[in-house]
Amino acid sequence: MLQMHLCFDPVLREIAAPVDKIDDVLHAILDEMVIMMNDQVGVGLAAPQVGIRGRFLVMKDPETDKLYKMINPRIMSKSEKLCDMEEGCLSVLGGDNLPIFTYVTRPESIAIEWTDENGVARAAEFSGFASRIAQHEIDHLDGILFIDYLSPIKREQVMRKVKKK
C-alpha cells in the first residue's frame, strides 16, 4: 500500500528516473495513485509523492474530468504569457492535515509529450487549470515543490504553517 510523503522527505527533492518498462506492477501503482488522489480530493499525484523514484504521474482535468496517466512526461513548450493561480499540494499540509494554498506564477499554457499506460506515445496542449496541474506534477518529477516559486518571505510564511510530521 502506497503512503503519501510530506515536504520534508528527501524523496521529494530527487530527480525521478525514467520508466523503461510498463508492466502490471506499474499499472497497479498508477491505479492505486488514482484512488489516493481521489480519496484526498486532489487533482494530481506524482510518483515521488508516494515514495517512488519513477517519472510518472496521474492527473485529472477538473474541467473535463479526463484522467491522465503520464509516463516519462516532458514539457515541450511553455507560453510566454504567465498567470497567477492558487496552488496547494497533497505533500505540503498544514496542521489541520489539509493542503496549504498560495498563489504561484506559471506559464498559462504548455505542450507535453508522454507515454500512456498502454505504451502509446501521446502529446497534448494544456491551458488553464489543467496546465497548472501538469506543471505542478512534472515539477515533482524534477524535485521541485510549488513553494520553490515563492519569494523568500512568502515561502517562510507558508512553511510556518506546514505540519512537521
Side-chain angles (χ1 to χ4, degrees), residues 145-160:
L145 298 176
F146 80 100
I147 56 176
D148 297 339
Y149 292 99
L150 304 176
S151 70
I153 291 170
K154 185 65 179 170
R155 184 176 182 187
E156 183 164 326
Q157 289 172 341
V158 168
M159 293 308 291
R160 273 192 247 131

Side-chain angles (χ1 to χ4, degrees), residues 2 4 18 27 32 66-67 69 74-75 92 99 117 135 143:
L2 300 177
M4 188 65 65
H27 285 161
E32 190 172 344
K66 182 169 180 165
L67 177 67
K69 297 177 180 178
R74 291 185 325 144
I75 296 175
V92 182
E117 70 274 20
Q135 290 177 74

Side-chain angles (χ1 to χ4, degrees), residues 15-160:
I15 295 176
V19 172
D20 55 8
K21 182 170 83 169
I22 299 172
D23 57 14
D24 290 343
V25 172
L26 180 59
H27 285 161
I29 293 169
L30 287 165
D31 289 345
E32 190 172 344
M33 287 172 63
V34 170
I35 292 167
M36 285 180 75
M37 175 183 71
N38 289 333
D39 284 351
Q40 297 188 34
V41 196
V43 289
L45 191 60
Q49 291 180 274
V50 294
I52 298 172
R53 293 169 172 90
R55 287 192 81 75
F56 58 93
L57 62 88
V58 297
M59 66 171 266
K60 181 171 45 178
D61 182 340
E63 294 171 7
T64 65
D65 242 12
K66 182 169 180 165
L67 177 67
Y68 294 91
K69 297 177 180 178
M70 296 183 178
I71 301 164
N72 298 325
R74 291 185 325 144
I75 296 175
M76 304 307 292
S77 65
K78 299 178 181 184
S79 67
E80 289 185 22
K81 185 175 182 185
L82 303 176
C83 68
D84 286 340
M85 290 179 82
E86 203 170 39
E87 267 183 60
C89 181
L90 296 174
S91 291
V92 182
L93 303 179
D96 56 3
N97 283 324
L98 295 173
I100 297 169
F101 287 87
T102 192
Y103 282 87
V104 177
T105 303
R106 293 187 184 267
E108 186 176 73
S109 61
I110 57 171
I112 305 176
E113 291 181 353
W114 73 95
T115 302
D116 72 14
E117 70 274 20
N118 299 310
V120 177
R122 302 280 183 190
E125 290 188 16
F126 293 90
S127 61
F129 199 27
S131 170
R132 173 76 38 165
I133 297 163
Q135 290 177 74
H136 179 108
E137 299 309 328
I138 291 171
D139 273 352
H140 275 300
L141 303 180
D142 293 323
I144 300 167
L145 298 176
F146 80 100
I147 56 176
D148 297 339
Y149 292 99
L150 304 176
S151 70
I153 291 170
K154 185 65 179 170
R155 184 176 182 187
E156 183 164 326
Q157 289 172 341
V158 168
M159 293 308 291
R160 273 192 247 131

